[in-house]
Amino acid sequence: MAHMDIHFGFSINGVAALHTKILEDTELHPFYEIYPEKFSNKTNGITFRRWIHGANPALASLLDDVIGTDWRSTGDLSKLANFADDKDVLERLAATKVEAKAIMRQFMALEQGVTIPSNAIIDVQVKRIHEYKRQQMLALYIIWKYFDIKNGNRPKHPVTIIFGGKAAPAYTIAQDIIHLILTLSQWIANDPDVAPYLQVVMIENYNVTAAERVIPAADISEQISLASKEASGTSNMKFMLNGALTLCTLDGANVEIAELVGDENIYTFGASSKQVEQLYADGSYNASALYRKPGIKLLVDFITNPAFMATGNAERLQRLHDELIHKDWFQTLPDFNAYVVRKGQALNDYACDPLGWRKKCLVNIAKAGFFSSDRTIGEYDRDIWHLGQ
């Protein structure tokens, strides 16, 4: 049916620059050779009316004071960049994050009975649960961090890692990933050596209401999908708009975020989309070989540690363990060490250079105007729908 649509339709577009290029170069390349004029890119956008006006009124008010109110209708936040070295504005920006965190902590306490430390770094991955989005990579990092703290490396700030999302009813491995996260949450909470420094929270029944509380409070935005697999995503845009810094692969709209903010204001890691596509094409990826490396094996095998399995469901944990060793179709293991390094850099920057961190956050907000859905809809109308003509 898709092939029929391409033939008889008059316009085809991807929803991020990388996505469109993959459609043109590989996925739909034969059609692109026949109908190049039909193809265009329309990068996704988000509505500022919900994701900052409504979700983060303190930040919206600060923007009104600093750059005026025109941004509310135009979506243009670029004037904020002029204040990147203004310590007063940076302090006020930090205060809006403190307020957003207080609202989020109250929400989590009321909705789930979870107490989040007031001085915690808020590290968030909220999206559909799927192997290509690699929640399992963040789960392995939690295990790595658990061992790191047990070895005496206590972070300056506690870290609260928040997950949100749902799995399809028939997607067994995705449900196993949720189970691993929940088991890790319980395991860490019950360890007095680790619990003061690391917390894992899974938002129950994640929805827009929860997103409006959690996204403005986030310090780190986890966008760690396998390069080439994410069409676009929009949570990265929502976090960016609200002053979280992106830890990401160069996938989907992450590529455009990186181009807008510059390398110094984002934390990228991992294989490129071309490298990933090559591994699929030649079938050369061997998960078992990577698993046997000492650092990786320790983490993956923790999932089937008898005491840990007794905390959760042994069947689910064993199945996920075996999936990582024998298949790992979305290549969690090759990117893992690079992920640990970049995440460590982000956490260190937050702890050791608070002023520099705030400046990075400000730059991200200033560059977020491109991702307004008003721009996206305008491009659809200009190039495809022609409703305004």
Side-chain angles (χ1 to χ4, degrees):
M1 289 182 67
H3 291 176
M4 291 175 63
D5 290 341
I6 293 167
H7 177 69
F8 289 105
F10 67 90
S11 184
I12 303 134
N13 69 273
V15 291
L18 178 64
H19 180 227
T20 301
K21 183 170 178 55
I22 290 171
L23 294 180
E24 293 173 351
D25 291 351
T26 57
E27 297 298 319
L28 299 178
H29 184 66
F31 287 101
Y32 180 65
E33 288 188 314
I34 300 170
Y35 307 120
E37 73 284 354
K38 290 187 179 184
F39 285 75
S40 68
N41 178 68
K42 302 288 176 281
T43 297
N44 276 343
I46 57 172
T47 172
F48 286 14
R49 287 168 288 282
R50 177 184 290 278
W51 294 111
I52 186 166
H53 300 185
N56 201 342
L59 178 57
S61 179
L62 173 62
L63 292 171
D64 287 345
D65 289 345
V66 175
I67 64 172
T69 59
D70 287 352
W71 70 273
R72 288 182 177 265
S73 57
T74 66
D76 183 2
L77 297 166
S78 60
K79 291 179 182 177
L80 186 64
N82 297 330
F83 298 88
D85 295 312
D86 188 317
K87 290 185 178 180
D88 178 63
V89 171
L90 293 175
E91 288 292 337
R92 293 174 65 191
L93 179 61
T96 68
K97 185 65 72 175
V98 170
E99 183 173 336
K101 287 184 178 182
I103 293 169
M104 183 271 293
R105 290 201 312 275
Q106 183 180 39
F107 174 80
M108 295 301 297
L110 289 173
E111 294 295 319
Q112 292 188 212
V114 173
T115 300
I116 295 175
S118 60
N119 63 334
I121 299 173
I122 306 300
D123 181 1
V124 187
Q125 187 180 27
V126 288
K127 52 187 75 252
R128 179 165 52 98
I129 310 297
H130 196 293
E131 288 172 277
Y132 91 79
K133 293 179 183 288
R134 299 200 294 192
Q135 285 90 354
Q136 67 273 22
M137 176 180 285
L138 182 47
L140 287 177
Y141 171 83
I142 291 167
I143 298 170
W144 180 90
K145 192 69 173 177
Y146 167 81
F147 281 121
D148 192 49
I149 295 170
K150 292 292 276 187
N151 289 331
N153 297 316
R154 297 173 176 177
K156 182 177 179 180
H157 291 274
V159 179
T160 295
I161 298 176
I162 299 177
F163 293 87
K166 299 174 183 178
Y171 195 170
T172 301
I173 293 297
Q175 294 169 14
D176 293 343
I177 292 169
I178 294 174
H179 182 72
L180 172 60
I181 293 165
L182 293 172
T183 307
L184 283 169
S185 177
Q186 182 180 347
W187 179 269
I188 289 167
N190 291 332
D191 190 318
D193 295 332
V194 179
Y197 307 101
L198 180 63
Q199 181 182 37
V200 179
V201 178
M202 184 80 187
I203 299 173
E204 297 173 4
N205 191 32
Y206 181 69
N207 55 23
V208 170
T209 299
E212 288 177 325
R213 305 301 187 276
V214 172
I215 289 173
D219 297 303
I220 296 175
S221 164
E222 298 274 355
Q223 308 296 332
I224 57 177
S225 57
L226 178 63
S228 79
K229 296 303 175 185
E230 183 69 74
S232 174
T234 58
S235 73
N236 48 8
M237 305 169 191
K238 296 164 191 170
F239 283 111
M240 176 191 188
L241 178 64
N242 282 277
L245 299 188
T246 310
L247 173 63
C248 67
T249 55
L250 288 174
D251 192 27
N254 299 340
V255 176
E256 290 161 271
I257 292 176
E259 290 172 350
L260 285 166
V261 304
D263 292 344
E264 67 277 15
N265 296 304
I266 193 169
Y267 298 90
T268 61
F269 72 95
S272 68
S273 60
K274 287 185 178 180
Q275 290 170 324
V276 170
E277 289 166 5
Q278 187 59 47
L279 283 176
Y280 280 119
D282 59 28
S284 59
Y285 175 51
N286 185 336
S288 297
L290 272 180
Y291 158 73
R292 287 191 290 270
K293 294 187 175 182
I296 299 293
K297 189 175 188 302
L298 173 69
L299 306 178
V300 176
D301 284 353
F302 181 82
I303 298 171
T304 52
N305 175 292
F308 185 73
M309 291 181 83
T311 304
N313 179 290
E315 179 182 357
R316 284 195 176 278
L317 295 172
Q318 184 69 57
R319 181 168 51 223
L320 181 57
H321 173 272
D322 294 347
E323 183 82 9
L324 286 169
I325 294 173
H326 300 300
K327 186 178 178 182
D328 190 27
W329 181 246
F330 294 102
Q331 300 176 24
T332 307
L333 303 184
D335 281 349
F336 181 74
N337 286 334
Y339 173 60
V340 171
V341 170
R342 285 300 266 165
K343 195 178 185 74
Q345 291 172 347
L347 294 173
N348 185 70
D349 286 349
Y350 181 97
C352 299
D353 185 13
L355 193 64
W357 183 272
R358 292 165 195 163
K359 182 175 179 178
K360 294 175 192 290
C361 296
L362 182 144
V363 170
N364 272 262
I365 297 168
K367 298 294 185 180
F370 173 77
F371 295 108
S372 168
S373 57
D374 294 344
R375 185 270 311 158
T376 307
I377 293 167
E379 289 181 359
Y380 273 102
D381 187 36
R382 181 193 69 206
D383 300 335
I384 299 175
W385 302 334
H386 306 301
L387 298 176
Q389 298 181 8

